[in-house]
Amino acid sequence: GNKVDCDQVLYATGRKGKTDTLNLESAGVETKGSFIPVDEYSKTNVDGIFAVGDVTDRIALTPVALMEGHSLADTVFGG
């Protein structure tokens, strides 16, 4: 890698899914803490319910969430 001279470095971790007000238990959607486990197709444990982005148990980065959303739309709507 390359060397970068700088005065400070910011390293942030510990994001949390905002699922507490979604009432997922009434639909039978499994959660692990504040996250929703999904398979490789973004499917939850309930048929017809999908999850993408920061609420999943995957990496929580905006570009990843955008790609997951686009991929899910393509899968569901045949894009």
Side-chain angles (χ1 to χ4, degrees):
N2 296 331
K3 181 180 177 184
V4 177
D5 292 322
C6 61
D7 294 325
Q8 296 178 357
V9 174
L10 172 66
Y11 182 74
T13 62
R15 294 181 83 167
K16 184 177 171 187
K18 296 290 286 178
T19 58
D20 53 338
T21 61
L22 297 178
N23 200 17
L24 296 171
E25 60 278 353
S26 70
V29 176
E30 176 187 342
T31 58
K32 288 188 177 174
S34 66
F35 297 103
I36 304 169
V38 294
D39 68 9
E40 65 270 22
Y41 302 104
S42 298
K43 294 179 181 180
T44 68
N45 64 303
V46 178
D47 286 340
I49 299 181
F50 300 83
V52 297
D54 293 354
V55 298
T56 68
D57 57 353
R58 297 180 181 157
I59 188 167
L61 296 172
T62 301
V64 174
L66 290 170
M67 185 67 86
E68 287 177 348
H70 287 169
S71 296
L72 177 62
D74 288 345
T75 299
V76 173
F77 302 109

